[in-house]
Amino acid sequence: MFGWFKSKKPPESTEKATQKVESFLDPSAVLEKFTAITGIHFKKKESITTSKLIHFCRNHHLYSFDELYSRLQSDSAILEALINVLTVNETYFFRESRQIYFFVEKVSRNKEKVRILCAPGSTGEEPYSIAMALLEGGIPAQRIEIISLDINSDVVALAREGRYNARSLHKTASSVQEKYFIKEDKIFTISDDVKRLVSFYTLNIFDDHLFEMGKFDIIFSRNMLIYFDESTVIRAVERLGRLARSKDTYLFFGHADFVKTPPTLLERYEEGIKFYTIR
Ligand SMILES: C[S@@+](CC[C@H](N)C(=O)[O-])C[C@H]1O[C@@H](n2cnc3c(N)ncnc32)[C@H](O)[C@@H]1O
């Protein structure tokens, strides 16, 4: 009769045999795969990235980088979760705003509809800043269409919510805060009038769905290329350039995004503002 109790608890030796042991050795295969998919490299930050990877594996019950690597081959949810952990999404409203005011002035000179791409848009501060600047410049809402995309699905969800803390608004004039945000308990929610001007998508710029977005009159791609190596910057810029409606399309990049102008672009200056057009 005691045999039943004995069989419920495995003998000690069997218990040990089924315990998995962590072994985090070389992350390079995982990182190379991640770079091949996203363009993002970790050359200067390998040790901090390795710590993040170990933490990620523990959260997902993965015991080695080899195990993570094989899950990445077939499990798109793991890839998405890893992208959401390893991307840097720092942004704020009216960042590098001189470029924004410069193009608003150009847009205000004619009466046509304007399609603007913001790639990447992170948590939404940049595309919403563009929308607010256009409204402040007297451009009617019916003329404005802004598409924002980002590879990180968590930041896209936050962008759609449009709720921010004061830190995100440190460069936002108080008159703009009052006009376009609803403030409640230290949270600033973007108004529906601004929200409806921007559509948000989760998309990797190296995914060919990019070319289903249509053509754009103005393309912003700021502070993403800094995470890519030189050949990837050239590839990314060539792909974004294919979305330009014409040779009059303005392309704006961040100050540190590249040192050498990629071959598909022409560097231009007006009123002290650097922008690019396609060749
Ligand atoms: C530092 S934020 C810049 C946000 C905003 N443009 C700005 O300048 O404030 C960089 C963003 O690029 C996104 N990103 C990185 N690689 C990407 C890729 N291959 N496709 C689309 N977005 C990407 C990241 O998820 C991150 O949100």
Side-chain angles (χ1 to χ4, degrees):
M1 97 181 245
F2 295 109
W4 182 83
F5 289 101
K6 277 183 191 150
S7 68
K8 284 294 274 184
K9 192 169 186 263
E12 213 180 306
S13 57
T14 320
E15 216 168 48
K16 274 196 184 132
T18 55
Q19 256 177 17
K20 285 178 91 176
V21 179
E22 283 185 351
S23 164
F24 295 113
L25 298 173
D26 181 5
S28 48
V30 169
L31 294 180
E32 274 163 29
K33 182 164 181 63
F34 189 85
T35 304
I37 295 169
T38 65
I40 301 167
H41 73 75
F42 301 95
K43 282 177 195 146
K44 290 182 194 142
K45 294 187 289 185
E46 264 182 22
S47 80
I48 179 160
T49 310
T50 305
S51 313
K52 282 188 187 172
L53 279 182
I54 293 173
H55 190 70
F56 179 86
C57 286
R58 287 184 178 142
N59 281 343
H60 290 83
H61 310 290
L62 298 165
Y63 291 81
S64 69
F65 292 138
D66 289 346
E67 216 179 315
L68 172 58
Y69 182 84
S70 50
R71 280 286 293 282
L72 288 172
Q73 306 295 327
S74 55
D75 186 342
S76 59
I78 277 282
L79 174 62
E80 180 179 340
L82 189 60
I83 286 170
N84 291 358
V85 164
L86 291 187
T87 49
V88 178
N89 316 109
E90 164 65 16
T91 186
Y92 51 87
F93 286 99
F94 294 97
R95 184 179 194 178
E96 299 182 43
S97 58
R98 286 181 65 226
Q99 291 177 331
I100 298 178
Y101 294 127
F102 169 77
F103 98 83
V104 168
E105 203 273 320
K106 299 267 173 214
V107 172
S108 68
R109 287 187 199 168
N110 64 53
K111 301 242 171 303
E112 281 148 35
K113 197 170 171 195
V114 61
R115 274 197 102 224
I116 300 157
L117 176 67
C118 197
S122 189
T123 32
E125 287 88 331
E126 183 173 286
Y128 287 141
S129 300
I130 293 169
M132 290 186 281
L134 285 164
L135 292 174
E136 284 296 279
I139 316 295
Q142 313 82 268
R143 278 186 61 201
I144 306 168
E145 183 186 358
I146 304 169
I147 305 284
S148 176
L149 56 90
D150 202 285
I151 196 172
N152 180 322
S153 59
D154 285 344
V155 297
V156 171
L158 289 170
R160 287 191 183 121
E161 271 182 38
R163 286 158 51 80
Y164 300 93
N165 58 30
R167 211 203 132 269
S168 282
L169 284 95
H170 73 285
K171 293 267 185 191
T172 308
S174 46
S175 58
V176 171
Q177 295 188 14
E178 276 157 31
K179 198 161 167 188
Y180 299 107
F181 291 86
I182 299 142
K183 191 180 174 207
E184 235 174 350
D185 296 336
K186 295 188 182 164
I187 296 293
F188 295 77
T189 304
I190 196 96
S191 75
D192 286 343
D193 290 345
V194 177
K195 219 183 218 182
R196 65 171 69 94
L197 302 181
V198 189
S199 308
F200 291 96
Y201 299 91
T202 301
L203 188 67
N204 178 357
I205 58 147
F206 297 107
D207 180 326
D208 283 349
H209 284 104
L210 181 72
F211 303 117
E212 291 164 19
M213 293 278 154
K215 300 285 183 186
F216 294 89
D217 306 294
I218 292 146
I219 296 173
F220 279 85
S221 181
R222 307 194 299 176
N223 305 304
M224 168 180 70
L225 304 177
I226 38 171
Y227 301 103
F228 301 168
D229 66 16
E230 198 182 330
S231 62
T232 313
V233 167
I234 291 172
R235 199 155 57 92
V237 166
E238 187 277 324
R239 293 173 69 83
L240 292 169
R242 279 198 252 165
L243 304 182
R245 189 184 302 288
S246 73
K247 295 207 169 188
D248 293 329
T249 293
Y250 288 78
L251 292 98
F252 295 98
F253 297 94
H255 294 312
D257 278 333
F258 45 76
V259 184
K260 222 166 79 189
T261 303
T264 48
L265 295 181
L266 274 177
E267 185 179 305
R268 313 265 298 265
Y269 276 94
E270 263 179 50
E271 298 160 31
I273 301 292
K274 195 198 279 188
F275 62 96
Y276 297 83
T277 51
I278 50 164
R279 277 185 188 277

